[in-house]
Structure formats: C-alpha cells, structure tokens
Amino acid sequence: MNSSWPVLSTLIFFPLAASVLLVFIRRELAVRQVSLAVAFVQILLALPLLKFRLGYADFQFVELYSWIPHWNINYHIGIDGISFLMVLLTVLLLPFCVLCSWTYIGQRVKEFHICMLLMTAACIGVFVALDFVLFYIFWEVMLVPMFLLIAVWGGPEKKYASLKFFIYTLAGSTLLLVAIVAFYVAGGTFSIPELIAKDFSFRFQAWTFLAMALAFAIKVPMFPFHTWLPAAHVQAPTAGSVLLASVLLKMGTYGFIRFCLSMTPDASVYFAPLMIGISIASIIYGGLVALGQNDMKKLIAYSSVAHMGFVTLGIFVLNVRGLEGAVIQMINHGITTGALFMLVGAIYERSHSREIKDNMGIARFLPAYIFFFGLFSLSSLAFPGTNSFVGEALVLIGAFEHSLIIGLLAVPGALLAAAYMLRLLQKLAYGEPVVEKARQWKDLNFREWAYLLPLGVLVLYIGLAPTLALKTMTPSIEKVLGYIQASNDNITLEAEHQTSLAGLLEEKNLSLKE
C-alpha cells in the first residue's frame, strides 16, 4: 500500500521540527506545554496508520525517493505488521514520558525535552527504514540523546553509566556497520527488501549473522552482554528509563527478526540452538539476580533481562507461536516495564529513595498507587488476563513445539518472575511501614492518573482481547518464517541430492568390483 500522504515521514520529521522550535522558547512551563502538545499532535498524525491492511504481509505506507544515486542509497521507508506495532508503541509512549517528567526534571528542561523528541524521531526511523544506510543512521542518531539523558539528568554515577552505555552500544554498532558493508559488496544494494530476496552462500550468512547478532544481543541485551543495562536504568531519569526499556531494547529483537531471520535464514537455523541457550541463560540469570535486589529500579532492570530472554527465545524457536509470542511480548514489555519505571519514579518523588525498605507498608496511605503497582506487577509476572500472559504463553507453546526440553528449561523463568514481583509488591503494600514519612505522602495526582490509567487499560485490553494484535502481525511473521522454511527445503534438497549422489557412486563402485 502506497500512501498519498507521507505519514511515516511526518512521524519522523514532526518531532525533529518541534525540537528546533523548543530552542526558541525560554519559559520552562511553556517548554513542557509545547512538548506535551507535540506528543498529542504526534498521536493525531499517526491516525492514518489505522488504515493498515490486516492480512497483508508486504510493506505498506511505502515512501521511496532517490537520495545518493551513485551508491544506490535511497530514502526508503515502510512498515509491515511487526514494525507497525513498534511505531504505535513509540508514538503512544511519548506523552506519558512528558507527563512523568513534568516535575521530576527541574534543570535544563528545554534540553531534556529536545532530547526526548530527537529520541522519538530516531526510534521511529529505525522501525520504518527499508534502506540499510538509512537504518544505520537512525540507529546511530538515537545513541546521542540517550547518552545525554543519562549523562546530564542521571543519578550520582551518571558519567560511568552513560559511558558504559555508549561504549557497549557503539561497539555493537561497529559490527553492524561491517555487516552492512559486506551485504552491499555481496548484494550490490542497500535496499532491505532486495537483500532479503537474495540467496547468499552459507559461509557469507554465517559471518554476517554473527556480526549482526552480536550487535543486536548487546542492544537487547542478552546475557552476558547485559552489564550496561542495570547501570543505565538506575542512573537514568524516569523518562529515560521508560524509553530505554520500552523502545530501545526492542531495536535489538526487531533487528533479529528483520535482518538475521530474513537475510541470513540458513545461518539463523544453524545458530538457533546457541541463541536459544543464551536466551534461557538470560531468563534464569535475570530472574535470580532480580530476586536479590533491594533497589526497585535495579530489580526491574534485571527483570528486563529475563523478559527479553523470553522474547529472543520466542524468536529462535523458529515457529509461528514462538514468533507471535516474541512480538507481542515486545509490546507488552514496553507497556508494563515502562509503567513500573514510572511508578518507581513517582514514589521516588515522594520518598527520595528507591530502596524497598524506605517505601514499605504504603498500601493504607497510597491505595491508588498500590492498585496500579499491583496491576503492573501481575502483568510483569504474566498473570492470566493480563497482556504478558498472552506473550509468555505463546513463547512457551512455541518452545514446547520446538523441543520438550527447551520448554521445560524456560518454565522456571516464569516462576522466578512471580517470586521477585510478588516479594516487591508484598513489601511495598504490607511491609513494616515507615509511618511518619508515609503519612505525609499524597496519593496519585491527576497527572499521574493520566499516564498510568491508559497503560493499565492497554494491559487488560491486550490480555483479554489479543486477536487484533495477532491478526496484525501474523502475516508478516509467516512471511519471515517462509524464508526459514525455504532455507530448510534447500538444505533438505541438497542433502537428498548428496545422498542420491553417494548412492550412485556406491553402486558404481560395486559394479566395477564385480
């Protein structure tokens, strides 16, 4: 589907233009108001995307303009069922990020909101790019505002955390650049759809898969490349943590689906056991470490390692159920973990501490707060009726379809999630109360209700009626799995050919001996 109105370009360039406008605004309140207005207008600008055709696997809302003809680089963008959901998630989160930062950010307010708008534009660009160079530019541009959000508005160890984040992700980006150059040399184009259609040799696929997989594994992050994540989350301001957890981590898993599975299907099948093993290690390790945390933000950060392990597990079991679960879990993690970080930010504004012991026993003082914390905790542990239950159940079904042992190995991850989230919820709600302090705290205000209630509705909507999300993504997932199936067919044909050839040679040798 080609759109007459450049919807996707508008979603990229509108926040960019708005960030320039903010430069000329002096009053901090006006900066916040304009940023919030931009976020809501961005949602209105995304409404034409609702014309997305369900049941259609190809890219829609495609825009193609020649950019650097000499190197065959184009401004080529579009969305399929997978990237469509990621764009919607990014657009929907922006106003909530503005609202949860309203009083949290008191210094360099203008620069903070400029960084958030730049981040939004770059993230949308990553999900819609259909040219490898364009994708890489957006991928790199995103690093700068995220680095600044941690380095300028972060906690006491912000310099260490921001540098670690930048070095890790830049190292991954370098490997990704090497893979992009290799694809151009071998394929003669930077067009992602054209590269997907090409049949590269297994040796080439194996090397490019490893380069891309390492870059994406750092971004997810998968164990043992996760060490930058807890530091970045703990030091980042609330909105930075929300964007980091809800959108940035998804770029890695999106890259696995869009590039590894689609462009290097033979290598994806070959390396799938390795990726499944790392995914299970991430699930178990993230859950165990989260269980021992006393800092709420650090606990949720390690839970992200475990949750994203479920996502990569769903991707590399290489079947429809697993991939459906992986994509829907990408959306769910963005909603649920983003909301949990917002709640941690809200209690920090009251107690000035993220330690569990400083915020215990607040159910009687902050009932609305505990209600939302309970709802999002249940979602995080995949309680039936919530969004994460749908995602994790599909991933586990996919894992059991792939192998009984793989399915059984992933189950303890679900139990660990229940253990660390219920422990946190129990201590916050009914632990020994810090009465004198907590009595002075006010429950959720209108602004906090405004960003928590819509996310709570999404948790229940996806949990109770996931059909629309599944209908949106399934044709695109089946198309990606078609590349894997074609790869398996080729391997089977090649094996049959070799078997028959060996049989002929054996018969010939026998006849010669006779």
Side-chain angles (χ1 to χ4, degrees):
M1 177 182 180
N2 291 312
S3 173
S4 55
W5 173 255
V7 184
L8 299 178
S9 289
T10 307
L11 293 177
I12 295 171
F13 290 106
F14 178 67
L16 279 178
S19 67
V20 175
L21 173 66
L22 288 185
V23 173
F24 301 100
I25 300 176
R26 293 185 177 180
R27 291 177 55 234
E28 291 182 354
L29 179 60
V31 168
R32 293 188 180 99
Q33 290 170 338
V34 170
S35 184
L36 185 61
V38 168
F40 281 115
V41 172
Q42 180 84 338
I43 292 176
L44 294 177
L45 292 173
L47 288 180
L49 292 181
L50 297 181
K51 292 180 182 176
F52 185 87
R53 289 168 58 187
L54 299 177
Y56 193 69
D58 289 337
F59 292 104
Q60 304 181 38
F61 298 94
V62 174
E63 298 172 38
L64 174 60
Y65 307 101
S66 179
W67 183 12
I68 308 175
H70 184 68
W71 291 338
N72 198 19
I73 298 173
N74 299 308
Y75 178 81
H76 190 188
I77 57 177
I79 51 173
D80 64 355
I82 301 166
S83 47
F84 169 70
L85 293 172
M86 300 313 302
V87 170
L88 282 189
L89 177 68
T90 309
V91 171
L92 284 174
L93 281 173
L94 181 58
F96 304 147
C97 289
V98 174
L99 285 170
C100 74
S101 309
W102 201 268
T103 55
Y104 191 91
I105 301 299
Q107 295 179 335
R108 296 177 178 268
V109 176
K110 181 194 300 185
E111 291 85 347
F112 177 84
H113 286 274
I114 288 173
C115 283
M116 278 212 302
L117 293 178
L118 290 176
M119 276 279 300
T120 303
C123 291
I124 292 173
V126 165
F127 292 127
V128 304
L130 294 180
D131 183 280
F132 234 148
V133 172
L134 192 64
F135 171 86
Y136 189 73
I137 289 171
F138 285 124
W139 178 277
E140 288 294 280
V141 167
M142 174 272 306
L143 290 181
V144 179
M146 192 67 234
F147 168 78
L148 292 174
L149 284 175
I150 302 171
V152 178
W153 295 276
E157 298 179 14
K158 56 190 178 186
K159 288 184 180 177
Y160 166 76
S162 57
L163 274 175
K164 196 170 184 179
F165 161 78
F166 198 83
I167 290 170
Y168 264 73
T169 47
L170 190 63
S173 299
T174 306
L175 291 169
L176 183 60
L177 180 61
V178 171
I180 291 172
V181 172
F183 272 112
Y184 180 71
V185 171
T189 179
F190 288 112
S191 169
I192 291 170
E194 288 180 24
L195 288 171
I196 289 173
K198 289 186 182 294
D199 187 16
F200 296 107
S201 69
F202 176 77
R203 184 184 177 86
F204 178 81
Q205 288 190 34
W207 284 111
T208 49
F209 175 91
L210 288 173
M212 293 192 296
L214 194 52
F216 299 143
I218 291 172
K219 186 74 80 178
V220 171
M222 298 177 78
F223 174 85
F225 310 106
H226 66 284
T227 59
W228 64 268
L229 183 69
H233 267 313
V234 170
Q235 299 304 319
T238 300
S241 293
V242 173
L243 286 171
L244 191 61
S246 303
V247 183
L248 262 71
L249 306 190
K250 310 305 175 302
M251 292 180 182
T253 46
Y254 175 77
F256 277 128
I257 299 171
R258 176 69 70 228
F259 302 110
C260 291
L261 264 55
S262 302
M263 289 184 185
T264 58
D266 299 350
S268 296
V269 173
Y270 182 79
F271 288 110
L274 172 66
M275 302 305 293
I276 289 172
I278 297 174
S279 301
I280 290 175
S282 300
I283 293 169
I284 303 300
Y285 172 83
L288 286 173
V289 179
L291 197 57
Q293 297 303 314
N294 292 316
D295 183 312
M296 289 192 286
K297 226 176 175 185
K298 201 175 278 187
L299 186 154
I300 297 168
Y302 278 109
S303 78
S304 289
V305 176
H307 289 312
M308 295 309 289
F310 270 105
V311 175
T312 51
L313 175 64
I315 291 172
F316 282 99
V317 293
L318 302 177
N319 55 44
V320 175
R321 293 290 167 265
L323 261 172
E324 283 179 340
V327 175
I328 205 164
Q329 196 63 358
M330 287 161 65
I331 305 297
N332 294 338
H333 182 262
I335 295 169
T336 301
T337 306
L340 284 171
F341 277 123
M342 289 176 188
L343 284 163
V344 173
I347 200 67
Y348 181 79
E349 288 189 47
R350 291 162 172 79
S351 67
H352 305 291
S353 171
R354 289 189 297 266
E355 290 291 320
I356 297 173
K357 63 182 174 58
D358 295 328
N359 298 288
M360 293 198 302
I362 57 175
R364 75 172 95 163
F365 306 112
L366 310 175
Y369 178 90
I370 287 298
F371 166 76
F372 279 109
F373 206 99
L375 175 63
F376 294 119
S377 296
L378 291 177
S379 168
S380 183
L381 63 88
F383 193 78
T386 63
N387 54 345
S388 298
F389 173 75
V390 179
E392 280 198 14
L394 284 170
V395 169
L396 285 174
I397 291 169
F400 276 108
E401 283 179 0
H402 181 83
S403 158
L404 177 63
I405 295 173
I406 298 300
L408 289 173
L409 287 173
V411 169
L415 300 177
L416 282 170
Y420 60 72
M421 287 312 300
L422 289 177
R423 167 181 169 266
L424 175 61
L425 179 61
Q426 188 275 330
K427 285 182 178 292
L428 282 184
Y430 304 113
E432 190 64 31
V434 190
V435 178
E436 292 308 317
K437 287 172 61 180
R439 200 186 297 279
Q440 302 166 9
W441 299 341
K442 291 182 180 177
D443 207 351
L444 298 180
N445 56 38
F446 177 76
R447 177 177 55 82
E448 290 163 335
W449 273 91
Y451 61 74
L452 289 172
L453 187 59
L455 292 173
V457 170
L458 279 175
V459 163
L460 296 176
Y461 174 72
I462 297 176
L464 298 172
T467 309
L468 184 58
L470 293 172
K471 275 185 179 178
T472 304
M473 71 177 77
T474 300
S476 301
I477 284 171
E478 288 174 344
K479 188 176 182 181
V480 171
L481 286 173
Y483 305 130
I484 300 291
Q485 186 59 46
S487 162
N488 283 334
D489 291 345
N490 287 337
I491 291 170
T492 306
L493 285 172
E494 182 67 21
E496 287 175 355
H497 174 70
Q498 288 180 359
T499 305
S500 59
L501 186 62
L504 283 172
L505 289 172
E506 192 175 344
E507 284 178 12
K508 211 167 193 178
N509 287 335
L510 284 173
S511 61
L512 284 172
K513 285 176 184 175
E514 287 169 358

